[in-house]
Amino acid sequence: MAILVCGGAGYIGSHTVHVLIERGEKVVIVDNLQTGHVEAVNPAAIFYRGDIRNAAALEKIFTENQIEAVIHFAANSLVGESVTNPLKYFNNNVGGMQTLLEAMVKFGVDKIIFSSTAAVYGEPEKIPVTETAATNPTNPYGESKLIMEKIMRWVSRANGLKFVSLRYFNAAGALETGTLGEDHATETHLIPLILQVPLGRRDHITIFGDDYPTPDGTCLRDYVHVMDLASAHILALDYLRNGGSSEIFNLGNGRGFSVKEIIAAAEKVTGKKIKTEIGARRAGDPAQLIASSDKAKKILHWAPKFSSVEKIIEDAWNWHKNNPDGYKK
Ligand code: UFG
């Protein structure tokens, strides 16, 4: 029996596949390579280049392989783009979930682990954010992920499917060896953008607002190492294999770091001065987003190994330094 990883050529997907293969799982990847990279596809996995919205492509995969469970990362994930082009997000993210679940029900595959996001909460009322907090997404990306969770819940009630939804806070870092990492054609995330300065690819980093109600005026985020996210997927898989019920879990380290603190940590890690400029606030950015991951720790026995922000930046730096052009060398 194999694990089907949808979006296994993407950032978090490729790191999770790495861990699955290391522990001896059989892995099948489907990825349309719209944002994923063929170079990030693990050679030990069976790879299908295809789109999960294509029912015939899924039918072929489910027919040719004995799929035990699905780990689903395949989605568009740019907050800003989702605001200007919401239909792209509803078509790809929500549409993809629908065809995927249709295939799973048809082939009797009853376990799915889903890549969700803190963006489902919107502007949180209470920090740290628990899974019972209100969900009021402030952008179509977060809305699409929330709808995908709801679709899974209804299908689980009707068809007996079990799901685990993992709501990541700020994913960052890379595989320690520097062979897998973050490579987005349009980079919007803070840590890779900061590291472009010491790489000589960018003159400075713009801090999006320093007038937030936080200790140094810049936004607080909960950065979580991509390898700790990967391990949470493995624990979720084992949890469902052991008969666990459908659940939602937050994944973060429970500590907020400000934009200025991240820049200071990046200066320490790279040994280089990083030039900054203060810019306007970015629309839709909450002042702070910090997770309570107590539920994942208690039920999944998740224990993040790389909670230091220096370690997260060190691994990201190792990847970017060795691959300044990402996977396209
Ligand atoms: N930031 C800057 N300058 C930059 C880029 C980012 O100051 O050039 C700031 C942002 O304003 C924010 C922090 O750095 O305060 C982190 O920004 P990211 O874009 O790296 O991450 P976000 O917190 O915006 O996004 C993350 C996930 C999304 C998810 C979102 C939920 O990456 O997938 O949290 O709000 F949708």
Side-chain angles (χ1 to χ4, degrees):
M1 297 286 271
I3 308 301
L4 175 63
V5 181
C6 305
Y11 173 42
I12 306 171
S14 60
H15 287 77
T16 303
V17 168
H18 176 88
V19 180
L20 285 167
I21 300 275
E22 259 196 341
R23 62 142 34 189
E25 301 281 356
K26 195 171 168 203
V27 177
V28 176
I29 294 174
V30 58
D31 198 304
N32 64 8
L33 300 182
Q34 193 191 86
T35 53
H37 304 274
V38 72
E39 298 85 352
V41 171
N42 194 301
I46 298 170
F47 175 53
Y48 290 85
R49 181 173 184 172
D51 196 301
I52 58 164
R53 288 167 293 180
N54 179 346
L58 285 183
E59 175 112 17
K60 180 170 156 65
I61 295 169
F62 280 88
T63 307
E64 290 181 357
N65 302 276
Q66 275 219 304
I67 304 297
E68 176 199 354
V70 175
I71 309 186
H72 181 24
F73 299 96
N76 292 112
S77 62
L78 297 176
V79 171
E81 182 190 53
S82 79
V83 175
T84 52
N85 194 358
L87 289 173
K88 176 174 176 179
Y89 282 70
F90 295 118
N91 183 310
N92 190 32
N93 296 4
V94 178
M97 177 62 95
Q98 175 163 349
T99 41
L100 177 63
L101 291 175
E102 279 164 358
M104 289 179 67
V105 169
K106 181 168 175 189
F107 286 86
V109 179
D110 64 356
K111 299 176 196 68
I112 179 167
I113 295 143
F114 173 58
S115 172
S116 189
T117 170
V120 299
Y121 296 113
E123 186 81 48
E125 277 164 17
K126 255 180 43 199
I127 296 290
V129 183
T130 61
E131 293 81 356
T132 53
T135 47
N136 291 308
T138 51
N139 54 66
Y141 165 64
E143 189 79 71
S144 72
K145 291 274 174 162
L146 186 59
I147 295 170
M148 291 159 88
E149 285 188 350
K150 289 183 178 175
I151 296 173
M152 287 192 302
R153 186 168 299 286
W154 288 113
V155 175
S156 89
R157 284 188 198 162
N159 303 89
L161 169 141
K162 296 281 191 296
F163 71 87
V164 166
S165 185
L166 300 174
R167 293 176 175 169
Y168 320 143
F169 280 61
N170 287 60
L175 185 64
E176 242 173 340
T177 57
T179 50
L180 289 177
E182 196 168 2
D183 177 2
H184 297 117
T186 314
E187 192 49 80
T188 62
H189 295 115
L190 181 65
I191 292 176
L193 286 177
I194 290 175
L195 295 177
Q196 286 177 2
V197 181
L199 276 177
R201 301 281 168 121
R202 171 179 290 271
D203 171 65
H204 65 274
I205 180 84
T206 303
I207 297 173
F208 295 153
D210 67 349
D211 56 352
Y212 283 95
T214 59
D216 67 15
T218 67
C219 290
L220 299 176
R221 291 289 180 275
D222 185 340
Y223 296 88
V224 53
H225 200 294
V226 64
M227 292 306 284
D228 283 327
L229 294 181
S231 72
H233 291 77
I234 313 298
L235 293 168
L237 176 64
D238 287 344
Y239 164 82
L240 289 181
R241 278 175 169 161
N242 291 329
S245 58
S246 296
E247 286 290 355
I248 293 173
F249 299 100
N250 286 344
L251 296 178
N253 283 307
R255 262 200 74 187
F257 288 89
S258 73
V259 176
K260 284 186 177 169
E261 284 175 319
I262 294 294
I263 295 168
E267 286 186 330
K268 202 168 133 203
V269 168
T270 62
K272 301 198 183 176
K273 177 91 192 108
I274 295 169
K275 199 170 140 193
T276 61
E277 274 183 15
I278 306 296
R281 287 185 179 196
R282 186 171 66 178
D285 271 348
Q288 34 177 336
L289 258 185
I290 301 164
S292 160
S293 301
D294 291 350
K295 186 175 168 189
K297 288 178 180 160
K298 195 169 150 218
I299 298 178
L300 296 180
H301 310 294
W302 184 58
K305 278 202 203 122
F306 311 109
S307 52
S308 121
V309 72
E310 276 82 13
K311 171 67 178 159
I312 293 174
I313 296 173
E314 207 176 284
D315 288 346
W317 177 233
N318 189 33
W319 157 255
H320 289 290
K321 207 173 43 183
N322 293 320
N323 307 274
D325 296 311
Y327 288 102
K328 289 170 235 53
K329 284 204 177 128

PDB file of all heavy atoms in Angstrom, residues 79 117 119 141 170 188-190 193 205-208 219 221 223 259 282 285 289, ligand 1:
ATOM      1  N   VAL A  79      -1.317  34.758  -0.505  1.00  0.00           N
ATOM      2  CA  VAL A  79      -2.413  35.553   0.057  1.00  0.00           C
ATOM      3  C   VAL A  79      -2.771  36.729  -0.866  1.00  0.00           C
ATOM      4  O   VAL A  79      -3.930  36.935  -1.214  1.00  0.00           O
ATOM      5  CB  VAL A  79      -2.028  36.060   1.466  1.00  0.00           C
ATOM      6  CG1 VAL A  79      -3.034  37.059   1.981  1.00  0.00           C
ATOM      7  CG2 VAL A  79      -1.884  34.885   2.425  1.00  0.00           C
ATOM      8  N   THR A 117      -4.077  26.094   7.146  1.00  0.00           N
ATOM      9  CA  THR A 117      -3.312  27.299   7.438  1.00  0.00           C
ATOM     10  C   THR A 117      -3.917  28.123   8.563  1.00  0.00           C
ATOM     11  O   THR A 117      -5.141  28.105   8.764  1.00  0.00           O
ATOM     12  CB  THR A 117      -3.239  28.177   6.165  1.00  0.00           C
ATOM     13  OG1 THR A 117      -2.705  29.459   6.514  1.00  0.00           O
ATOM     14  CG2 THR A 117      -4.606  28.405   5.550  1.00  0.00           C
ATOM     15  N   ALA A 119      -4.313  31.055   8.258  1.00  0.00           N
ATOM     16  CA  ALA A 119      -5.114  32.076   7.569  1.00  0.00           C
ATOM     17  C   ALA A 119      -6.616  31.812   7.708  1.00  0.00           C
ATOM     18  O   ALA A 119      -7.423  32.714   7.445  1.00  0.00           O
ATOM     19  CB  ALA A 119      -4.725  32.146   6.094  1.00  0.00           C
ATOM     20  N   TYR A 141      -7.538  33.060  -0.017  1.00  0.00           N
ATOM     21  CA  TYR A 141      -6.696  31.886   0.235  1.00  0.00           C
ATOM     22  C   TYR A 141      -7.157  31.168   1.511  1.00  0.00           C
ATOM     23  O   TYR A 141      -7.434  29.962   1.492  1.00  0.00           O
ATOM     24  CB  TYR A 141      -5.221  32.320   0.351  1.00  0.00           C
ATOM     25  CG  TYR A 141      -4.343  31.259   0.961  1.00  0.00           C
ATOM     26  CD1 TYR A 141      -4.145  30.043   0.313  1.00  0.00           C
ATOM     27  CD2 TYR A 141      -3.723  31.461   2.197  1.00  0.00           C
ATOM     28  CE1 TYR A 141      -3.355  29.056   0.893  1.00  0.00           C
ATOM     29  CE2 TYR A 141      -2.935  30.480   2.773  1.00  0.00           C
ATOM     30  CZ  TYR A 141      -2.761  29.278   2.122  1.00  0.00           C
ATOM     31  OH  TYR A 141      -1.990  28.303   2.700  1.00  0.00           O
ATOM     32  N   ASN A 170       3.698  29.948  10.554  1.00  0.00           N
ATOM     33  CA  ASN A 170       4.627  30.374   9.489  1.00  0.00           C
ATOM     34  C   ASN A 170       5.707  29.335   9.203  1.00  0.00           C
ATOM     35  O   ASN A 170       6.699  29.248   9.920  1.00  0.00           O
ATOM     36  CB  ASN A 170       5.248  31.723   9.851  1.00  0.00           C
ATOM     37  CG  ASN A 170       4.243  32.852   9.715  1.00  0.00           C
ATOM     38  OD1 ASN A 170       3.208  32.851  10.379  1.00  0.00           O
ATOM     39  ND2 ASN A 170       4.512  33.783   8.836  1.00  0.00           N
ATOM     40  N   THR A 188       7.132  35.826  -1.368  1.00  0.00           N
ATOM     41  CA  THR A 188       6.477  36.851  -0.542  1.00  0.00           C
ATOM     42  C   THR A 188       6.825  36.669   0.929  1.00  0.00           C
ATOM     43  O   THR A 188       6.494  37.511   1.753  1.00  0.00           O
ATOM     44  CB  THR A 188       4.934  36.766  -0.666  1.00  0.00           C
ATOM     45  OG1 THR A 188       4.520  35.483  -0.178  1.00  0.00           O
ATOM     46  CG2 THR A 188       4.472  36.946  -2.095  1.00  0.00           C
ATOM     47  N   HIS A 189       7.463  35.547   1.267  1.00  0.00           N
ATOM     48  CA  HIS A 189       7.679  35.221   2.678  1.00  0.00           C
ATOM     49  C   HIS A 189       8.903  35.923   3.255  1.00  0.00           C
ATOM     50  O   HIS A 189       9.921  36.091   2.580  1.00  0.00           O
ATOM     51  CB  HIS A 189       7.796  33.701   2.863  1.00  0.00           C
ATOM     52  CG  HIS A 189       6.520  32.999   2.540  1.00  0.00           C
ATOM     53  ND1 HIS A 189       6.390  32.136   1.504  1.00  0.00           N
ATOM     54  CD2 HIS A 189       5.311  33.096   3.127  1.00  0.00           C
ATOM     55  CE1 HIS A 189       5.140  31.698   1.460  1.00  0.00           C
ATOM     56  NE2 HIS A 189       4.455  32.271   2.437  1.00  0.00           N
ATOM     57  N   LEU A 190       8.774  36.283   4.512  1.00  0.00           N
ATOM     58  CA  LEU A 190       9.770  37.134   5.162  1.00  0.00           C
ATOM     59  C   LEU A 190      11.181  36.540   5.155  1.00  0.00           C
ATOM     60  O   LEU A 190      12.131  37.218   4.717  1.00  0.00           O
ATOM     61  CB  LEU A 190       9.328  37.430   6.610  1.00  0.00           C
ATOM     62  CG  LEU A 190      10.287  38.342   7.381  1.00  0.00           C
ATOM     63  CD1 LEU A 190      10.322  39.726   6.773  1.00  0.00           C
ATOM     64  CD2 LEU A 190       9.886  38.422   8.851  1.00  0.00           C
ATOM     65  N   LEU A 193      12.999  36.330   1.795  1.00  0.00           N
ATOM     66  CA  LEU A 193      13.231  37.691   1.281  1.00  0.00           C
ATOM     67  C   LEU A 193      14.390  38.364   2.031  1.00  0.00           C
ATOM     68  O   LEU A 193      15.239  39.000   1.419  1.00  0.00           O
ATOM     69  CB  LEU A 193      11.966  38.553   1.397  1.00  0.00           C
ATOM     70  CG  LEU A 193      10.858  38.227   0.392  1.00  0.00           C
ATOM     71  CD1 LEU A 193       9.625  39.090   0.653  1.00  0.00           C
ATOM     72  CD2 LEU A 193      11.329  38.433  -1.047  1.00  0.00           C
ATOM     73  N   ILE A 205      15.529  44.984   2.974  1.00  0.00           N
ATOM     74  CA  ILE A 205      14.217  44.385   3.237  1.00  0.00           C
ATOM     75  C   ILE A 205      13.305  45.496   3.750  1.00  0.00           C
ATOM     76  O   ILE A 205      13.713  46.302   4.580  1.00  0.00           O
ATOM     77  CB  ILE A 205      14.310  43.200   4.234  1.00  0.00           C
ATOM     78  CG1 ILE A 205      12.929  42.577   4.492  1.00  0.00           C
ATOM     79  CG2 ILE A 205      14.962  43.592   5.563  1.00  0.00           C
ATOM     80  CD1 ILE A 205      12.510  41.564   3.480  1.00  0.00           C
ATOM     81  N   THR A 206      12.092  45.534   3.214  1.00  0.00           N
ATOM     82  CA  THR A 206      11.126  46.528   3.685  1.00  0.00           C
ATOM     83  C   THR A 206      10.317  45.920   4.822  1.00  0.00           C
ATOM     84  O   THR A 206       9.762  44.826   4.668  1.00  0.00           O
ATOM     85  CB  THR A 206      10.186  46.947   2.533  1.00  0.00           C
ATOM     86  OG1 THR A 206      10.998  47.438   1.467  1.00  0.00           O
ATOM     87  CG2 THR A 206       9.220  48.042   2.961  1.00  0.00           C
ATOM     88  N   ILE A 207      10.284  46.607   5.933  1.00  0.00           N
ATOM     89  CA  ILE A 207       9.469  46.160   7.069  1.00  0.00           C
ATOM     90  C   ILE A 207       8.069  46.728   6.857  1.00  0.00           C
ATOM     91  O   ILE A 207       7.898  47.960   6.789  1.00  0.00           O
ATOM     92  CB  ILE A 207      10.085  46.651   8.404  1.00  0.00           C
ATOM     93  CG1 ILE A 207      11.480  46.024   8.597  1.00  0.00           C
ATOM     94  CG2 ILE A 207       9.160  46.351   9.577  1.00  0.00           C
ATOM     95  CD1 ILE A 207      12.266  46.564   9.787  1.00  0.00           C
ATOM     96  N   PHE A 208       7.106  45.840   6.743  1.00  0.00           N
ATOM     97  CA  PHE A 208       5.726  46.290   6.467  1.00  0.00           C
ATOM     98  C   PHE A 208       5.054  46.791   7.746  1.00  0.00           C
ATOM     99  O   PHE A 208       4.257  46.082   8.356  1.00  0.00           O
ATOM    100  CB  PHE A 208       4.906  45.153   5.859  1.00  0.00           C
ATOM    101  CG  PHE A 208       5.376  44.703   4.488  1.00  0.00           C
ATOM    102  CD1 PHE A 208       5.151  43.392   4.056  1.00  0.00           C
ATOM    103  CD2 PHE A 208       6.017  45.574   3.627  1.00  0.00           C
ATOM    104  CE1 PHE A 208       5.559  42.968   2.799  1.00  0.00           C
ATOM    105  CE2 PHE A 208       6.433  45.158   2.357  1.00  0.00           C
ATOM    106  CZ  PHE A 208       6.206  43.854   1.943  1.00  0.00           C
ATOM    107  N   CYS A 219       5.133  43.198  13.323  1.00  0.00           N
ATOM    108  CA  CYS A 219       4.231  42.043  13.526  1.00  0.00           C
ATOM    109  C   CYS A 219       4.937  40.841  14.141  1.00  0.00           C
ATOM    110  O   CYS A 219       6.089  40.543  13.814  1.00  0.00           O
ATOM    111  CB  CYS A 219       3.669  41.600  12.188  1.00  0.00           C
ATOM    112  SG  CYS A 219       2.515  42.744  11.472  1.00  0.00           S
ATOM    113  N   ARG A 221       5.032  36.763  14.549  1.00  0.00           N
ATOM    114  CA  ARG A 221       4.613  35.524  13.896  1.00  0.00           C
ATOM    115  C   ARG A 221       5.267  34.333  14.592  1.00  0.00           C
ATOM    116  O   ARG A 221       6.325  34.449  15.186  1.00  0.00           O
ATOM    117  CB  ARG A 221       5.040  35.518  12.417  1.00  0.00           C
ATOM    118  CG  ARG A 221       4.298  36.521  11.543  1.00  0.00           C
ATOM    119  CD  ARG A 221       2.850  36.122  11.324  1.00  0.00           C
ATOM    120  NE  ARG A 221       2.128  37.068  10.485  1.00  0.00           N
ATOM    121  CZ  ARG A 221       1.546  38.174  10.937  1.00  0.00           C
ATOM    122  NH1 ARG A 221       1.609  38.497  12.215  1.00  0.00           N
ATOM    123  NH2 ARG A 221       0.899  38.975  10.110  1.00  0.00           N
ATOM    124  N   TYR A 223       7.059  31.097  13.872  1.00  0.00           N
ATOM    125  CA  TYR A 223       7.789  30.404  12.803  1.00  0.00           C
ATOM    126  C   TYR A 223       8.015  28.948  13.200  1.00  0.00           C
ATOM    127  O   TYR A 223       8.450  28.662  14.307  1.00  0.00           O
ATOM    128  CB  TYR A 223       9.113  31.127  12.510  1.00  0.00           C
ATOM    129  CG  TYR A 223       8.849  32.521  11.967  1.00  0.00           C
ATOM    130  CD1 TYR A 223       8.684  33.605  12.829  1.00  0.00           C
ATOM    131  CD2 TYR A 223       8.689  32.738  10.593  1.00  0.00           C
ATOM    132  CE1 TYR A 223       8.380  34.874  12.343  1.00  0.00           C
ATOM    133  CE2 TYR A 223       8.388  34.005  10.098  1.00  0.00           C
ATOM    134  CZ  TYR A 223       8.239  35.061  10.977  1.00  0.00           C
ATOM    135  OH  TYR A 223       7.923  36.312  10.483  1.00  0.00           O
ATOM    136  N   VAL A 259       9.174  41.036  13.221  1.00  0.00           N
ATOM    137  CA  VAL A 259       9.925  41.159  11.971  1.00  0.00           C
ATOM    138  C   VAL A 259      11.343  41.637  12.299  1.00  0.00           C
ATOM    139  O   VAL A 259      12.333  41.097  11.778  1.00  0.00           O
ATOM    140  CB  VAL A 259       9.204  42.141  11.010  1.00  0.00           C
ATOM    141  CG1 VAL A 259      10.024  42.366   9.749  1.00  0.00           C
ATOM    142  CG2 VAL A 259       7.809  41.605  10.652  1.00  0.00           C
ATOM    143  N   ARG A 282       1.084  46.027   5.322  1.00  0.00           N
ATOM    144  CA  ARG A 282       0.525  45.241   4.219  1.00  0.00           C
ATOM    145  C   ARG A 282      -0.927  44.931   4.585  1.00  0.00           C
ATOM    146  O   ARG A 282      -1.188  44.469   5.705  1.00  0.00           O
ATOM    147  CB  ARG A 282       1.349  43.962   4.056  1.00  0.00           C
ATOM    148  CG  ARG A 282       0.986  43.114   2.860  1.00  0.00           C
ATOM    149  CD  ARG A 282       1.980  41.990   2.640  1.00  0.00           C
ATOM    150  NE  ARG A 282       1.969  41.008   3.723  1.00  0.00           N
ATOM    151  CZ  ARG A 282       2.729  39.917   3.742  1.00  0.00           C
ATOM    152  NH1 ARG A 282       3.575  39.671   2.753  1.00  0.00           N
ATOM    153  NH2 ARG A 282       2.665  39.076   4.744  1.00  0.00           N
ATOM    154  N   ASP A 285      -2.632  42.058   7.226  1.00  0.00           N
ATOM    155  CA  ASP A 285      -1.685  41.440   8.163  1.00  0.00           C
ATOM    156  C   ASP A 285      -2.155  41.626   9.601  1.00  0.00           C
ATOM    157  O   ASP A 285      -2.227  42.746  10.088  1.00  0.00           O
ATOM    158  CB  ASP A 285      -0.295  42.100   8.031  1.00  0.00           C
ATOM    159  CG  ASP A 285       0.586  41.438   6.992  1.00  0.00           C
ATOM    160  OD1 ASP A 285       0.237  40.337   6.532  1.00  0.00           O
ATOM    161  OD2 ASP A 285       1.629  42.029   6.649  1.00  0.00           O
ATOM    162  N   LEU A 289       0.178  36.551  15.316  1.00  0.00           N
ATOM    163  CA  LEU A 289      -0.390  35.220  15.034  1.00  0.00           C
ATOM    164  C   LEU A 289       0.496  34.209  15.738  1.00  0.00           C
ATOM    165  O   LEU A 289       1.617  33.947  15.302  1.00  0.00           O
ATOM    166  CB  LEU A 289      -0.330  34.954  13.533  1.00  0.00           C
ATOM    167  CG  LEU A 289      -1.577  35.101  12.683  1.00  0.00           C
ATOM    168  CD1 LEU A 289      -1.285  34.673  11.257  1.00  0.00           C
ATOM    169  CD2 LEU A 289      -2.764  34.314  13.236  1.00  0.00           C
TER     170      LEU A 289
HETATM  171  N1  UFG B   1       6.967  41.048   6.071  1.00  0.00           N
HETATM  172  C1  UFG B   1       7.701  42.224   5.969  1.00  0.00           C
HETATM  173  N2  UFG B   1       8.375  42.437   4.811  1.00  0.00           N
HETATM  174  C2  UFG B   1       8.373  41.579   3.762  1.00  0.00           C
HETATM  175  C3  UFG B   1       7.612  40.376   3.884  1.00  0.00           C
HETATM  176  C4  UFG B   1       6.921  40.155   5.052  1.00  0.00           C
HETATM  177  O1  UFG B   1       7.741  43.046   6.881  1.00  0.00           O
HETATM  178  O2  UFG B   1       8.994  41.870   2.732  1.00  0.00           O
HETATM  179  C5  UFG B   1       6.255  40.788   7.331  1.00  0.00           C
HETATM  180  C6  UFG B   1       4.761  40.623   7.151  1.00  0.00           C
HETATM  181  O3  UFG B   1       4.118  41.878   7.198  1.00  0.00           O
HETATM  182  C7  UFG B   1       4.413  39.706   8.341  1.00  0.00           C
HETATM  183  C8  UFG B   1       5.673  38.867   8.541  1.00  0.00           C
HETATM  184  O4  UFG B   1       6.711  39.574   7.851  1.00  0.00           O
HETATM  185  O5  UFG B   1       4.229  40.491   9.474  1.00  0.00           O
HETATM  186  C9  UFG B   1       5.572  37.480   7.959  1.00  0.00           C
HETATM  187  O6  UFG B   1       5.119  37.582   6.617  1.00  0.00           O
HETATM  188  P1  UFG B   1       5.057  36.344   5.610  1.00  0.00           P
HETATM  189  O7  UFG B   1       4.560  36.871   4.311  1.00  0.00           O
HETATM  190  O8  UFG B   1       6.353  35.619   5.644  1.00  0.00           O
HETATM  191  O9  UFG B   1       4.004  35.398   6.291  1.00  0.00           O
HETATM  192  P2  UFG B   1       2.489  35.693   6.693  1.00  0.00           P
HETATM  193  O10 UFG B   1       2.454  35.739   8.197  1.00  0.00           O
HETATM  194  O11 UFG B   1       1.881  36.816   5.980  1.00  0.00           O
HETATM  195  O12 UFG B   1       1.823  34.422   6.067  1.00  0.00           O
HETATM  196  C10 UFG B   1       1.729  33.211   6.718  1.00  0.00           C
HETATM  197  C11 UFG B   1       1.694  32.074   5.711  1.00  0.00           C
HETATM  198  C12 UFG B   1       0.463  32.159   4.853  1.00  0.00           C
HETATM  199  C13 UFG B   1      -0.755  32.274   5.723  1.00  0.00           C
HETATM  200  C14 UFG B   1      -0.608  33.440   6.667  1.00  0.00           C
HETATM  201  C15 UFG B   1      -1.747  33.550   7.626  1.00  0.00           C
HETATM  202  O13 UFG B   1       2.841  32.118   4.902  1.00  0.00           O
HETATM  203  O14 UFG B   1       0.354  30.996   4.072  1.00  0.00           O
HETATM  204  O15 UFG B   1       0.561  33.260   7.459  1.00  0.00           O
HETATM  205  O16 UFG B   1      -1.950  34.896   7.922  1.00  0.00           O
HETATM  206  F1  UFG B   1      -1.819  32.489   4.949  1.00  0.00           F
END
